[in-house]
C-alpha cells in the first residue's frame, strides 16, 4: 500500500494556488465576466481589475504599470521576449547570447531563431552554475542584440549575477532579458536598479494560478507583437484577457513579495536542516549548485550508484513528491543539461534528486523526508551492481 | 504511468542479489545511459536452477530484471534463450513505450549469461537474432 501521507517538495515544478488567491479570482468568472474591451459597466470593472493587477505586478518588480504585459505564462513570455526583440532588432545585428543552463523555453526558442538566421552563443557556467562575466564580455560582438540569462536556475537553484550582467549590457547598449520564473517571491528583484530590459514571470510558481504570466518590457524597448488580433495589451499581445487569471496573478505576486523575507528565511532554514541531514546521514552523495547563491527552497543532490527515477518512485510510494534530472524520468537519453553544464559526471547525474521546499513544508516533513530518502537510497543501492562493485573495491 | 505488476516487481523485486559461484554471468548497459543489468545463473543438467540480478536503473529496468529472472527460473537453457523481451513486457502487463528498451536489456542480459555459461563449458556461444530496438525520445516540461 502506498502511503496516505503527502509531502510536496516540488515547488519549482508548480505550487498549490493560495486559497486567498482563488477567492480573489472567483467573482471574475460568473459574476463580473464582462469582456474588458467592451464599453458597458460590466466590462469597465474588468478593465479596472486588470489595471489593479498590472500595478501589483509592476510594484513587485520595481517597474511601471505600463511596462507589464500579461501572457499565458513563463514559456510564452520567454518566447515573446526572444523572438519579439530578435526580429525587431535584426537591422542592428543577428547575435544573441544566452547560457547552457536555461530552461527549454529559452533553449528551444534559440534553436528556432537559429533556423531563422540568428547566431546563438551559449555561455558555459562554472561548477556552481554561475555565468562568468569574462565569458560574457568575450562573447559580445558588434552584432550582439540581446543577452538572455535566467535569474535563478530551476534545477540547481543557482542565482546568476543579474545586476552585473544588467550593468554591462546597459553600458554596451545591448538588450538584457532575464527569465525570472523561479526567482519571483524568492529573491528581491528590481528591474530599474538591476538594469533589466525584459523579464519573464509565471503565476503558478508563486502560489498563483496556472496559465498566467507576464513579460516586463522596459518603456521604449522595440519589440514585435507576439499574438496578432485585437487591441489588447497595447496591441502587443492580442486575445481577450484572462481576467480571473490576471486578478489571481496580481493577488499572488502581491502576497509573495510582501511576505518574502519572512517566508524565505523560514524555508531556507528548513532547507538547510534537510540538506544537512541528507549530507551527513547518507554516504556518497554530493550537492549540486551554489552553497549560498541559491534559491532558498532548493536542494539538488546526486546519490552515487543509483538512478533518479527509481528513487522518485520509492519516494512517491512514501507520499513524497520530488523531481530528478535523470534521463530515465524524461525518456530522453541524456541526463539534465544543467548537471552536464556544471560538470557532473554523466553516470552520477543519473542519480540526481531535486527537492524544492515551499510555504506549507514543516519541521515534521524534514524528518520524514530525510528518513524516507535514506531508506530508499539504501534499498536501491542494495540492488545496484555499481554499489556491489564499490563495496568489493573498498573491502 | 506504470502497471500494478511493474510497481509490484519494482517495490518487491524477486531474485535480487548475487550468486558468488555463478555458472554464467551477463552484464549489459552502461552507467552513462543510466542502466546496467547483471544476471547470474546457476545451471544443472541444462536447467537454470537459480538466477539472481543486480540492476542500476529506473523502475522499469528493475521490474524487468525481476520479471525476466522469474520467467527463466527452472527453465532449460533453450527455453530461457527463447524468452523474448515481449514476454517480459506481457508478464509485466505492459511498459510505457519509452521503457520497452528496459525489457530488451533484460533479454540481452540473460543471453549474455547463457553464453558466458556456454563459453565456460567450452561450447560455442549462441547467436543473437537481429533487430531489437532501443529507443528514447523527448523531455518533460515544467
Amino acid at each position: 500500500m502506498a502511503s496516505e501521507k503527502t509531502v510536496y517538495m516540488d515547488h519549482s515544478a508548480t505550487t498549490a494556488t493560495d486559497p486567498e488567491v482563488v477567492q480573489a479570482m472567483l467573482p471574475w468568472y460568473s459574476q463580473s465576466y464582462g469582456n474588458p474591451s467592451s464599453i458597458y459597466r460590466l466590462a469597465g470593472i474588468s478593465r479596472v481589475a486588470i489595471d489593479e493587477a498590472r500595478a501589483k505586478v509592476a510594484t513587485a518588480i520595481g517597474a511601471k504599470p505600463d511596462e507589464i504585459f500579461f501572457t499565458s505564462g513563463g514559456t510564452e513570455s520567454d518566447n515573446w521576449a526572444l523572438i519579439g526583440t530578435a526580429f525587431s532588432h535584426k537591422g542592428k545585428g543577428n547575435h544573441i547570447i544566452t547560457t547552457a543552463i536555461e530552461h527549454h523555453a529559452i533553449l528551444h526558442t534559440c534553436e528556432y531563431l537559429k533556423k531563422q538566421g540568428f547566431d546563438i552563443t551559449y555561455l558555459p557556467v562554472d561548477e556552481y552554475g554561475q555565468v562568468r562575466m569574462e565569458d560574457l564580455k568575450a562573447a559580445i560582438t558588434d552584432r550582439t542584440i540581446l543577452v538572455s540569462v535566467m535569474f535563478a536556475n530551476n534545477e540547481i537553484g543557482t542565482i546568476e549575477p543579474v545586476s552585473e550582467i544588467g550593468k554591462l549590457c546597459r553600458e554596451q547598449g545591448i538588450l538584457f532579458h532575464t527569465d525570472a520564473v523561479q526567482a519571483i517571491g524568492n529573491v528581491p528583484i528590481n528591474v530599474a536598479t538591476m538594469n533589466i530590459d525584459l523579464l519573464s514571470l509565471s503565476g503558478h510558481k508563486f502560489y498563483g494560478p496556472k496559465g498566467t504570466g507576464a513579460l516586463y518590457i522596459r518603456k521604449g524597448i522595440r519589440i514585435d507583437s507576439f499574438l496578432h488580433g485585437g487591441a489588447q495589451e497595447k496591441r502587443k499581445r492580442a486575445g481577450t484577457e484572462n481576467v480571473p487569471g490576471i486578478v489571481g496573478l496580481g493577488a499572488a505576486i502581491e502576497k509573495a513579495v510582501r511576505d518574502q523575507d519572512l517566508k524565505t528565511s523560514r524555508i531556507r532554514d528548513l532547507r538547510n536542516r534537510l540538506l544537512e541531514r541528507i549530507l551527513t546521514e547518507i554516504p556518497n552523495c554530493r550537492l549540486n549548485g551554489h552553497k549560498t547563491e541559491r534559491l532558498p527552497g532548493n536542494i539538488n543532490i546526486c546519490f552515487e550508484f543509483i538512478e533518479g527515477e527509481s528513487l522518485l518512485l520509492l519516494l512517491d510510494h512514501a507520499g513524497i513528491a520530488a523531481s530528478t534530472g535523470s534521463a530515465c524520468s524524461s525518456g530522453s537519453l541524456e541526463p539534465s543539461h544543467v548537471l552536464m553544464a556544471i560538470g557532473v559526471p554523466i553516470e552520477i547525474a543519473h542519480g540526481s534528486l531535486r527537492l524544492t521546499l515551499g510555504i506549507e513544508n514543516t519541521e515534521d516533513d524534514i524528518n520524514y523526508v530525510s528518513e524516507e530518502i535514506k531508506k530508499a537510497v539504501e534499498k536501491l543501492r542494495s540492488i545496484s551492481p555499481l554499489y556491489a562493485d564499490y563495496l568489493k573495491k573498498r573491502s | 504511468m506504470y502497471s500494478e505488476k511493474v510497481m509490484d516487481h519494482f517495490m518487491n523485486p524477486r531474485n535480487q542479489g548475487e550468486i558468488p559461484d555463478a555458472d554464467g554471468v551477463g552484464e549489459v548497459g552502461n552507467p552513462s545511459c543510466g542502466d546496467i543489468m547483471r544476471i547470474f545463473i546457476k545451471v544443472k543438467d541444462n536447467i537454470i536452477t537459480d538466477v539472481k540480478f543486480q540492476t542500476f536503473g529506473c523502475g522499469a529496468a528493475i521490474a524487468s530484471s525481476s520479471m525476466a529472472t522469474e520467467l527463466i527460473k527452472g527453465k532449460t537453457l533453450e527455453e530461457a534463450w527463447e524468452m523474448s523481451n515481449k514476454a517480459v513486457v506481457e508478464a509485466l502487463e505492459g511498459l510505457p513505450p519509452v521503457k520497452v528498451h528496459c525489457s530488451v536489456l533484460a533479454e540481452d542480459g540473460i543471453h549474455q549469461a547463457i553464453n558466458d555459461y556456454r563459453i565456460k563449458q567450452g561450447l560455442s556461444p549462441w547467436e543473437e537474432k537481429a533487430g531489437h530496438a532501443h529507443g528514447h525520445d523527448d523531455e518533460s516540461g515544467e
Side-chain angles (χ1 to χ4, degrees):
Chain A
M1 269 299 288
S3 168
E4 302 269 312
K5 196 177 166 85
T6 307
V7 179
Y8 187 76
M9 287 205 181
D10 203 16
H11 291 81
S12 279
T14 193
T15 56
T17 311
D18 186 313
E20 281 180 30
V21 170
V22 175
Q23 282 305 317
M25 293 169 70
L26 287 178
W28 303 96
Y29 284 101
S30 301
Q31 292 165 32
S32 307
Y33 52 83
N35 187 325
S37 300
S38 303
I39 59 162
Y40 34 75
R41 265 177 298 163
L42 188 66
I45 55 172
S46 297
R47 216 156 35 234
V48 171
I50 291 176
D51 288 344
E52 284 173 7
R54 203 184 303 281
K56 287 175 185 172
V57 174
T59 303
I61 60 169
K64 296 181 217 58
D66 62 352
E67 296 174 315
I68 303 300
F69 295 81
F70 292 113
T71 67
S72 64
T75 293
E76 184 190 327
S77 297
D78 283 347
N79 271 261
W80 184 14
L82 266 55
I83 295 169
T85 55
F87 282 102
S88 64
H89 288 75
K90 70 176 180 210
K92 186 195 164 203
N94 70 337
H95 181 227
I96 296 167
I97 300 172
T98 186
T99 80
I101 63 163
E102 297 296 312
H103 190 275
H104 287 118
I106 295 290
L107 294 178
H108 289 178
T109 303
C110 286
E111 282 172 28
Y112 163 77
L113 286 170
K114 191 171 162 55
K115 285 191 201 130
Q116 305 301 315
F118 291 90
D119 285 334
I120 317 287
T121 299
Y122 299 93
L123 296 176
V125 291
D126 66 18
E127 61 181 308
Y128 306 107
Q130 283 191 318
V131 166
R132 285 172 291 240
M133 290 307 291
E134 58 268 30
D135 289 337
L136 174 57
K137 280 177 198 153
I140 292 173
T141 73
D142 56 0
R143 299 192 56 74
T144 307
I145 51 175
L146 174 70
V147 171
S148 180
V149 177
M150 67 201 328
F151 208 110
N153 183 266
N154 51 312
E155 290 188 35
I156 56 175
T158 300
I159 298 166
E160 299 298 332
V162 167
S163 289
E164 281 178 77
I165 297 168
K167 184 164 177 282
L168 177 70
C169 290
R170 192 61 58 86
E171 285 164 5
Q172 304 268 334
I174 298 165
L175 294 179
F176 173 43
H177 166 255
T178 187
D179 172 350
V181 163
Q182 296 289 338
I184 300 280
N186 287 315
V187 189
I189 297 175
N190 187 304
V191 290
T193 60
M194 291 174 164
N195 294 306
I196 296 166
D197 296 313
L198 302 121
L199 177 145
S200 303
L201 61 90
S202 169
H204 73 106
K205 305 291 189 184
F206 46 84
Y207 312 95
K210 293 172 181 63
T212 67
L215 181 64
Y216 153 78
I217 306 170
R218 189 165 67 87
K219 209 176 172 88
I221 301 283
R222 262 184 305 124
I223 185 165
D224 285 358
S225 299
F226 196 55
L227 294 184
H228 307 281
Q232 293 89 353
E233 300 300 284
K234 290 192 279 176
R235 297 186 180 278
K236 287 208 183 317
R237 200 276 187 184
T240 299
E241 297 88 339
N242 171 9
V243 181
I246 288 170
V247 169
L249 177 69
I253 203 166
E254 184 180 45
K255 196 168 172 180
V257 173
R258 187 184 61 216
D259 301 341
Q260 186 165 293
D261 290 349
L262 209 68
K263 188 190 77 185
T264 53
S265 71
R266 199 187 137 265
I267 292 172
R268 185 179 290 109
D269 184 49
L270 286 175
R271 188 273 314 272
N272 288 346
R273 268 184 280 172
L274 177 56
L275 180 59
E276 178 71 17
R277 284 200 58 176
I278 295 171
L279 290 174
T280 53
E281 294 175 22
I282 304 177
N284 300 89
C285 64
R286 55 189 267 179
L287 180 68
N288 301 311
H290 202 285
K291 245 186 138 128
T292 53
E293 293 301 306
R294 183 178 197 103
L295 290 174
N298 177 286
I299 291 177
N300 189 306
I301 209 157
C302 281
F303 299 96
E304 284 185 64
F305 321 118
I306 65 169
E307 191 281 324
E309 190 233 50
S310 47
L311 180 57
L312 288 196
L313 286 175
L314 287 180
L315 293 180
D316 181 40
H317 195 77
I320 299 165
S323 165
T324 176
S326 156
C328 286
S329 70
S330 62
S332 76
L333 209 60
E334 293 284 302
S336 146
H337 65 286
V338 177
L339 298 181
M340 294 293 95
I342 60 170
V344 176
I346 188 163
E347 67 276 14
I348 293 173
H350 284 291
S352 78
L353 175 70
R354 183 188 72 176
L355 301 161
T356 43
L357 283 68
I359 50 173
E360 70 274 27
N361 290 126
T362 62
E363 188 74 46
D364 277 353
D365 292 347
I366 301 307
N367 296 327
Y368 180 70
V369 169
S370 57
E371 284 305 316
E372 290 300 323
I373 292 174
K374 200 157 71 170
K375 278 195 269 181
V377 170
E378 272 169 22
K379 179 176 168 125
L380 293 171
R381 283 181 176 169
S382 77
I383 309 177
S384 169
L386 300 176
Y387 190 61
D389 291 349
Y390 167 77
L391 290 182
K392 270 180 199 155
K393 240 181 257 165
R394 240 180 24 160
S395 65
Chain B
M1 86 187 231
Y2 287 133
S3 69
E4 275 182 39
K5 202 87 180 175
V6 172
M7 284 309 291
D8 175 36
H9 276 260
F10 167 67
M11 294 300 298
N12 311 293
R14 280 61 145 182
N15 309 312
Q16 159 204 338
E18 188 180 345
I19 302 176
D21 59 341
D23 297 315
V25 181
E27 180 169 319
V28 287
N30 72 68
S32 62
C33 291
D35 36 30
I36 302 177
M37 271 180 213
R38 200 176 281 168
I39 309 275
F40 305 86
I41 54 171
K42 204 72 189 146
V43 181
K44 199 176 172 207
D45 302 332
N46 201 45
I47 292 201
I48 296 176
T49 55
D50 196 12
V51 52
K52 293 238 184 293
F53 78 88
Q54 291 175 329
T55 292
F56 160 80
C58 62
I62 291 170
S64 294
S65 320
S66 168
M67 183 55 87
T69 52
E70 278 287 272
L71 290 176
I72 64 163
K73 205 173 188 175
K75 298 280 161 61
T76 65
L77 289 174
E78 287 78 6
E79 285 168 337
W81 184 271
E82 288 303 318
M83 185 212 62
S84 70
N85 79 295
K86 283 201 186 76
V88 176
V89 175
E90 274 165 30
L92 286 171
E93 292 166 2
L95 279 176
V98 295
K99 299 293 188 179
V100 169
H101 75 279
C102 295
S103 65
V104 175
L105 211 58
E107 181 188 331
D108 290 349
I110 287 165
H111 285 182
Q112 277 211 16
I114 291 172
N115 275 339
D116 181 54
Y117 166 78
R118 287 183 61 84
I119 290 163
K120 281 176 182 159
Q121 299 299 309
L123 302 165
S124 60
W126 286 334
E127 263 176 52
E128 287 285 351
K129 270 178 268 179
H132 43 218
H134 298 248
H136 297 260
D137 56 48
D138 274 336
E139 65 255 329
S140 66
E142 73 172 26

